[in-house]
Amino acid sequence: MTVKLSSSNLSKLPANVAGPKYDRATLKAGIVHFGVGNFHRSHQAVYLDDLFNAGIGHDWALIGAGVFDGEKIGRAKLEEQDWLTTVVEQDSGHMNTRVTGAMIDFLMPGDAAGVIERLTDPAIKIVSLTITEGGYFIDPASGVFNPTHPDIVADAQPGATPKTVFGIILAGLVRRRDEGTVPFTVMSCDNIPHNGHVTSDGVIGLARLIDQDLANWVSEHVAFPNGMVDRITPATTDRERGILAKDFGLEDNWPVFCEPFRQWVLEDHFTDGRPPLEKVGVQFVKDVAPYELMKIRILNGGHAAIAYPAGLMDIHFVHEAMQEPLVSGFLAKLERDEIIPTVPPVPDTVLEDYYQLIESRFSNPKIGDTVRRLCLDGSNRQPKFIIPTIADRLKAGKSVAGLALESALWCRYCFGTTDSGAVIEPNDPSWDRLQATAKAAKDAPAAWLAMEDIYGDVGRATAFVEAFAHALNVLWANGARATLTRYLAGKL
């Protein structure tokens, strides 16, 4: 017999599943969160659940929000179980299952008026975001907010009903300004460099299109703290639902499986207070940048390094990729030779120890993280996680052979077939463009680097152009396995 997750069944949870230690009926909303996906529910929501379990901060509960119709599917799954989520942490020697209850409502995605109305509530003191790298309207080549994006231009029109996250946030801030309510803090929990600055560029950039005085007011009165977030959290499939039902006797429409490790480093910069998250392991620091750069280059750059060779070799799971000596060897050599040397010192951190922790996390056999997930959305991820490292290496006059090979592997993957000839299904918002460009690059490698919005100046640097062309030609002539063998032997 299994127990169906719901508020009424919290007293009937299986013995090996922990439930909330607090009365959810006493919680009061303090945070509206856009982007209620797996990462948010394994990270921010878990920290808040820890806080509430400690008997602290019960006026900081979460309300979900979204802007896309597709988010209604997740909302319906959570509504059926009273906004509860089962979080399963596991690695080779550890498995822990708990039900979290930090979310108490989820506004209807797409109902801009309803969301804005909630944002005007003085009890809402933080609006947080997990909207993925592609949700910030960033021009990939320049790395800055793009005010000419059609969705942003539409939100800036007089009388427009906002359709973007930034438009809805700005409308909520305008209402609070007009009503004399202290503005909320806008807190990005996304995995992008300087996420607070990026978010502020988006909100203020949109405000500037509407009214310069409004832009000045947001700049002067609203806090946008930078933060570094980390926890490997795969997508949920029937596999995870089946494990939860079979091993734990619990039915959850949308459980979250993740690694035990988690980290959140956050600037202590808030407009109107914050929950005391330092009591549950959040690191509050004056400057997040060193931690952020370390994570983005070593972990996210590392994910990119193993993703595309593993994809070309038809490897399904990330831990299986790490069991392939050519893939794990490529990761280790690329990290130590080219990536880690570009990372400045980080307080109280030994970079080699951090890399070894990353290697161990990637190798976790229980997580079920897929290579396809790591390959997803390269057009947004490469400009953030790989290309800045290439730029730094070029500036220092250092070799970029391994990074050029990583880029060539991405290009070869976007051609749309693995080395065995299996078809790679579209795996990027810009897949059609990437595939057409990858096909052109097979005979003319420079065509790939001519994607100005992705590569910028790096795509014109002679040393990189030559190294990339060589790597791609070797890949096409010999395949990923033989190419990696040559690279590891120092013969590429």
Side-chain angles (χ1 to χ4, degrees), residues 335-416:
E335 290 273 16
R336 292 194 172 104
D337 289 0
E338 298 181 30
I339 295 177
I340 294 173
T342 71
V343 178
V346 180
D348 305 316
T349 305
V350 177
L351 293 181
E352 174 62 25
D353 292 348
Y354 181 78
Y355 168 68
Q356 290 182 15
L357 171 65
I358 297 304
E359 203 173 54
S360 171
R361 292 168 63 196
F362 288 0
S363 302
N364 183 347
K366 295 290 187 179
I367 261 312
D369 201 5
T370 64
V371 168
R372 182 172 171 81
R373 185 187 80 87
L374 299 196
C375 293
L376 172 70
D377 204 15
S379 61
N380 272 306
R381 294 179 174 182
Q382 291 280 316
K384 298 175 182 69
F385 304 152
I386 290 290
I387 292 167
T389 306
I390 299 170
D392 282 356
R393 293 285 294 178
L394 291 169
K395 187 176 179 182
K398 304 290 187 180
S399 168
V400 289
L403 289 161
L405 176 54
E406 188 279 337
S407 232
L409 287 159
W410 177 41
C411 173
R412 171 66 187 84
Y413 176 88
C414 291
F415 187 87

Side-chain angles (χ1 to χ4, degrees), residues 286-341:
K286 287 184 177 179
D287 184 11
V288 171
Y291 301 89
E292 185 177 69
L293 188 67
M294 171 183 73
K295 189 251 178 174
I296 281 170
R297 295 207 172 176
I298 299 177
L299 185 144
N300 298 111
H303 264 159
I306 64 177
Y308 300 110
L312 292 172
M313 293 181 192
D314 302 290
I315 298 172
H316 183 71
F317 286 114
V318 175
H319 69 272
E320 293 171 339
M322 292 299 290
Q323 292 165 2
E324 164 54 63
L326 291 173
V327 175
S328 55
F330 176 53
L331 172 69
K333 181 171 172 57
L334 178 62
E335 290 273 16
R336 292 194 172 104
D337 289 0
E338 298 181 30
I339 295 177
I340 294 173

Side-chain angles (χ1 to χ4, degrees), residues 148-200:
T148 65
H149 191 284
D151 292 351
I152 294 295
V153 172
D155 273 8
Q157 299 309 304
T161 298
K163 300 284 177 59
T164 69
V165 169
F166 293 156
I168 291 171
I169 287 173
L170 185 60
L173 287 169
V174 168
R175 288 268 297 272
R176 288 175 80 119
R177 179 194 65 175
D178 294 348
E179 294 170 7
T181 306
V182 177
F184 45 73
T185 295
V186 183
M187 180 177 74
S188 172
C189 300
D190 269 301
N191 181 37
I192 51 177
H194 319 301
N195 56 12
H197 296 319
V198 169
T199 309
S200 112

